Amino acid sequence: MKQLAVFASGSGTNFEAIAQACADGRLNARVALLVCDVPGAKVLERGARFGIETFCFRPKSYASKADFEREIAGRMDELGIDLVCLAGYMRLIGPVLLERYGGRIINIHPSLLPAFKGAHAVEDAVAYGVKVYGITIHWVDATLDGGRIIAQEAFPYEGSDPDEVHRIGQKIEHRLYIETIQKLIQ
Ligand code: GAR
């Protein structure tokens, strides 16, 4: 069975969708580690509910990104992590993790990349007057929301309410992330 690590910084609905799919057997994998860089984030409660090992850290307590990434990579090595899934992890992956896990890290992003990179993709797209929105899953490289695209799904929306776009998009994310992970690990 493949071992997953999920990295998240916030609410963790994608983390929960992945953990639930593993628990149900819809995903032939196990979430062996949750990594969170925001103490107090809601995703931590979700992780505890699933009894998943968590590495939660405060980036500012470390001298550099390399220092906390070395610690994360060390634990991932011990657990035999096969695939790293970024799920709302609002931080660039640095050279330490890329060197050891490059080609095994994927990210989900709420836009049709390469359009609307960054932390406010949906808000930026609504402000632009976009009529076709979407979700992208891609390999992670050193750039912000860069890396080769693995899967995309588009949906039309003519309104101007970012919350509604988030709601529609998240439903797609939870399904598309699981389908994509399953394809990658089988
Ligand atoms: C998701 O919508 C994901 O696409 C986005 O963060 C959200 C996390 O939601 N990621 C990015 O914007 C990456 N640039 P969740 O915490 O409920 O899974």
Side-chain angles (χ1 to χ4, degrees), residues 8-15 46 87-90 107-110 118-121 135 144-145 166 170 173-174:
S9 305
S11 167
T13 64
N14 280 282
F15 161 79
R46 300 184 200 264
Y89 182 67
M90 295 309 196
N107 181 43
I108 190 157
H109 183 76
H120 310 288
I135 302 300
L144 175 69
D145 298 318
H166 276 292
Q170 285 228 314
E173 288 193 344
H174 300 161

Side-chain angles (χ1 to χ4, degrees), residues 4 7 12-15 29 31 39 43 45 66 76 86 88 90-91 102 106 119 132 137 150 156-157 162 180:
L4 308 180
F7 286 32
T13 64
N14 280 282
F15 161 79
V31 182
V43 68
E45 291 165 31
M76 293 207 301
L86 307 186
M90 295 309 196
R91 195 168 284 282
I106 61 175
V132 178
I137 297 168
I150 306 164
Y157 176 74
T180 305

Side-chain angles (χ1 to χ4, degrees), residues 83-94:
L83 185 68
V84 177
C85 306
L86 307 186
Y89 182 67
M90 295 309 196
R91 195 168 284 282
L92 277 176
I93 297 295

Side-chain angles (χ1 to χ4, degrees), residues 6 28-29 35 44 46 66 74 113-114 126 146 160 172 176 183 186:
V6 179
N28 190 22
V35 173
L44 296 168
R46 300 184 200 264
L113 289 172
V126 169
S160 56
I172 295 173
L176 190 64
K183 274 185 201 153
Q186 74 194 1

Side-chain angles (χ1 to χ4, degrees), residues 116 122-133 157-160:
F116 304 110
V122 168
E123 289 72 15
D124 292 348
V126 169
Y128 216 88
V130 158
K131 304 289 178 262
V132 178
Y133 292 78
Y157 176 74
E158 298 262 343
S160 56

